[in-house]
Amino acid sequence: MPRSGPRKLYKYTDEFIQTAVRLSHQPGMQVKTVAAALEIHPFMLSKWRKDVRDGIIRGRAAKAPPPGPAREIAQLQALEQRYAELQEEHELLKKAIRFCSAQRAKRSPSSTRTARSSA
């Protein structure tokens, strides 16, 4: 159910939009990563990219951001990917432990005793 009351609208400056679009056009950068870093919705950034491309949003030509932030965002991307892989591995290991525990619980105590005593 939607919230009652007025919607909160944010007005971003053209300079902010231009910077966001420039960041998203850097090599190796994904729209969703830049959007997450700027705390905006990826669809909004995609729309801004289209608006800049179509000439709807214009700003003065600013110099490109230094390579430092791009490198940091790339490192962050790599860390987030590794973290997701580790989470997936952790979930698989938890499932394996539950499966093995369930298999041990299904065995009857008498069958394990006879197997040990006959060996």
Side-chain angles (χ1 to χ4, degrees), residues 17-18 21 25 47-58:
I17 293 171
Q18 289 283 342
V21 169
H25 281 298
K47 181 183 179 310
W48 289 348
R49 287 171 54 130
K50 181 185 179 301
D51 289 348
V52 168
R53 184 176 55 240
D54 294 343
I56 295 171
I57 297 175
R58 294 183 185 176

Side-chain angles (χ1 to χ4, degrees), residues 31-86:
V31 171
K32 67 179 182 179
T33 306
V34 174
L38 297 174
E39 297 179 353
I40 58 175
H41 197 278
F43 180 78
M44 181 179 284
L45 182 55
S46 296
K47 181 183 179 310
W48 289 348
R49 287 171 54 130
K50 181 185 179 301
D51 289 348
V52 168
R53 184 176 55 240
D54 294 343
I56 295 171
I57 297 175
R58 294 183 185 176
R60 46 175 221 250
K63 56 185 174 185
R71 183 177 44 240
E72 289 173 0
I73 291 176
Q75 288 174 342
L76 178 62
Q77 248 181 337
L79 288 172
E80 286 175 342
Q81 183 178 5
R82 181 65 180 140
Y83 179 68
E85 290 171 359
L86 289 172

Side-chain angles (χ1 to χ4, degrees), residues 102-118:
Q103 291 296 321
R104 285 189 184 140
K106 286 183 182 178
R107 292 185 197 157
S108 66
S110 61
S111 65
T112 56
R113 277 190 219 134
T114 57
R116 286 185 195 153
S117 61
S118 65

